[in-house]
Amino acid sequence: DMVYKIPAAGSPDADALSVLASILSGGRSARLYESIVRQKQLSSGVSGFASLSRGPGLFQFGGTPLPGKTPAELEAAIEEEITKIQTAPIADWELQKARNASRANFIGGLGSSLNRAIQLSEDALAFNDPGRINTRAASIAKVTAADVQRVAKQYLVKTNRTVIVTTPKAAAPKASAPTASSPKASAPKGVE
């Protein structure tokens, strides 16, 4: 797990961070899947998302190395993709796909009355703007490639992150099964 500190959901950078997450990890054509899963075969799946909340948020990456691969290899591959998005051009199709996915995710969340009520209340209480629900999709659509690269350069830096490597405890050695000649396998005294 790699976690970077990012600003709150009401920040002007929130929409660009959502689009950045979609470019990096939004489906099988996203950069992390294409590079790490398909080409380098380091993991069966890698995620990346912006966890935006009322207070400071987190931009999180997670993945499990495949057998024979190391967490360090996976971390280096994620860092490589971060560097690419910070420095190399973002294709128009990639940006459009990411904006559409981010908007669809937001709009899809408004499909139920409960989710819509929650969004309205959060916008009113946390951001003092209940009308935010009506402008968010348009705001996401305005995110540019320059916005995405700017937030990637600003927030996805090593001095702004925490890396956690979770290693499972080694399995206990299996006890060998008793054999007919071992004392544990013999019948108790007096029983034949």
Side-chain angles (χ1 to χ4, degrees):
D1 293 306
M2 295 169 57
V3 181
Y4 296 82
K5 292 177 260 179
I6 59 174
S11 159
D13 292 338
D15 294 328
L17 287 162
S18 293
V19 173
L20 170 62
S22 189
I23 290 172
L24 289 172
S25 186
R28 290 181 177 252
S29 63
R31 292 182 179 207
L32 292 176
Y33 187 87
E34 179 63 28
S35 172
I36 295 171
V37 176
R38 288 194 62 234
Q39 293 176 8
K40 296 177 182 171
Q41 298 181 356
L42 293 172
S43 178
S44 61
V46 178
S47 64
F49 60 94
S51 178
L52 296 162
S53 60
R54 182 177 179 188
L58 296 173
F59 199 102
Q60 303 174 25
F61 294 96
T64 302
L66 288 173
K69 307 297 181 181
T70 67
E73 290 174 297
L74 184 55
E75 181 181 342
I78 293 170
E79 287 176 351
E80 183 180 332
E81 290 307 312
I82 291 170
T83 300
K84 285 180 187 176
I85 204 158
Q86 291 170 334
T87 59
I90 299 169
D92 289 339
W93 70 267
E94 193 174 28
L95 180 63
Q96 188 60 41
K97 174 188 161 265
R99 284 191 302 226
N100 288 344
S102 294
R103 282 183 22 229
N105 186 34
F106 171 72
I107 293 168
L110 302 177
S112 79
S113 298
L114 176 61
N115 286 342
R116 185 178 297 263
I118 290 169
Q119 187 65 52
L120 280 166
S121 66
E122 285 178 354
D123 289 344
L125 293 172
F127 307 112
N128 197 28
D129 183 10
R132 184 172 180 260
I133 194 171
N134 299 318
T135 59
R136 180 86 198 283
S139 177
I140 293 169
K142 292 178 184 176
V143 172
T144 66
D147 294 331
V148 171
Q149 286 187 310
R150 178 183 52 77
V151 297
K153 287 177 185 176
Q154 183 175 349
Y155 300 110
L156 303 186
V157 294
K158 286 185 177 183
T159 57
N160 189 40
R161 76 170 187 189
T162 300
V163 177
I164 300 167
V165 177
T166 305
T167 306
K169 183 178 176 182
K174 293 184 179 180
S176 58
T179 61
S181 62
S182 71
K184 291 181 181 178
S186 62
K189 291 184 180 183
V191 177
E192 303 251 345

